[in-house]
Amino acid sequence: RLRSMQASASAPAITQDGVAIEVAVNIANADDAREGVAHGADAVGLLRTEFLFIDRRDAPTEAEQTAAYQAVLDALDGRNAIIRTLDVGGDKDVPYLQLPPEPNPALGLRGIRAGFAYPEMLDTQLRALLAVKPLARLRILVPMIADVGELIRLRERIEQLAVEMQLAERPQLGVMVEVPSAALLADQLAKHADFLSIGSNDLTQYTLAMDRCNATLAARIDSLHPGLLRLIAIAVEGAKRHGKWVGVCGAMASDPQAVPVLLGLGVAELSVSPRLVPEVKSLVRGLSQRQCQSEAERLLGLSSAQEVRGRIVELWPAA
Ligand code: PEP
Ligand code: MG
């Protein structure tokens, strides 16, 4: 009985009209990965590697990092893992890096910008990632990309390191869409990336110009704002032009009211917290992608997140 329950939990989430949606998990370590698998996750959609770097006095070595990344792959029983390069700066401080203090940290040296500013740190992490086996199950994800030049620069660096390491395989490379310019330029990014993953937490913060850590604004920082939905629509359209898939790894993917909208906008993967996998899968199984699509188009014409949520409650009372 337990076996059959586990089997149904890990069955794919397929909509009423036959569209398979990958339901993946956001994790910090191998224990979370095991929890995700136990809850029926199809893959890891986001490993935030920051957790390996915080709460310590110096950076983890290449060997330490490889061991941590390999442990995640090993916990997944053949599933794929998307591992994000270090995303420090902004609200994520790593004291020993001694990033210079800035008046606007969220708009400063963070994500891949910090990576390029500290190339040895970035190279160490890339080498550690390239050392995992099998590379075919690893997907590297880059945070805070703002334009295609950054992506090309990173891809070239990965290629150089892979040649130095005499590797026969290359991992896939994906881009976080969390800066509005990345959503607007998604067609250019998708030409050089294997997939896109929408970071709705930061994309909301930067689109609405509302600090994600500001408690006073918290109620108004809503990813279902039509401005966000239009950016997501543009991002998916740009990716599809190059045959690439788009996922969502921000908190929006875990919001039941957002799920039908994201499916309607053409999102193919939702990455959520491990314990939410069964709920999101069962929600997806009750939806028709085609119906979600025609309704999502109408939602783009509404003028506030409140209106969007009101309409969603009417359309999908189960969400
Ligand atoms: C996001 O911005 O939505 C995201 C997934 O990244 P983080 O929350 O780690 O900034
Ligand atoms: Mg982010």
Side-chain angles (χ1 to χ4, degrees), residues 84 87 92 110 144 176 178 199 201-202 212:
R84 185 173 73 184
D87 184 21
K92 300 157 186 159
R110 58 164 298 195
M144 294 298 292
M176 290 282 292
E178 51 187 351
N201 307 334
D202 279 311
R212 62 191 271 183

Side-chain angles (χ1 to χ4, degrees), residues 167-245:
L167 299 174
E169 282 183 297
R170 302 288 182 269
Q172 288 193 12
L173 180 60
V175 172
M176 290 282 292
V177 175
E178 51 187 351
V179 176
S181 63
L184 294 166
L185 299 174
D187 60 331
Q188 298 178 6
L189 293 168
K191 196 172 164 198
H192 298 272
D194 296 300
F195 65 94
L196 306 181
S197 187
I198 292 169
S200 55
N201 307 334
D202 279 311
L203 191 59
T204 307
Q205 153 168 277
Y206 294 124
T207 302
L208 302 179
M210 292 183 186
D211 182 346
R212 62 191 271 183
C213 301
N214 187 318
T216 317
L217 296 173
R220 292 169 57 196
I221 305 182
D222 191 332
S223 302
L224 282 167
H225 190 290
L228 260 291
L229 300 184
R230 287 190 188 192
L231 280 179
I232 294 172
I234 292 170
V236 173
E237 205 170 290
K240 285 197 170 158
R241 226 172 288 161
H242 297 279
K244 307 294 166 65
W245 60 270

Side-chain angles (χ1 to χ4, degrees), residues 60-99:
T61 64
E62 186 178 323
E64 268 178 89
Q65 290 190 53
T66 297
Y69 307 147
Q70 187 67 55
V72 168
L73 273 191
D74 291 347
L76 290 177
D77 218 0
R79 296 165 181 80
N80 295 327
I82 297 178
I83 302 185
R84 185 173 73 184
T85 60
L86 187 61
D87 184 21
V88 288
D91 57 320
K92 300 157 186 159
D93 189 32
V94 176
Y96 56 82
L97 291 180
Q98 298 184 315
L99 295 172

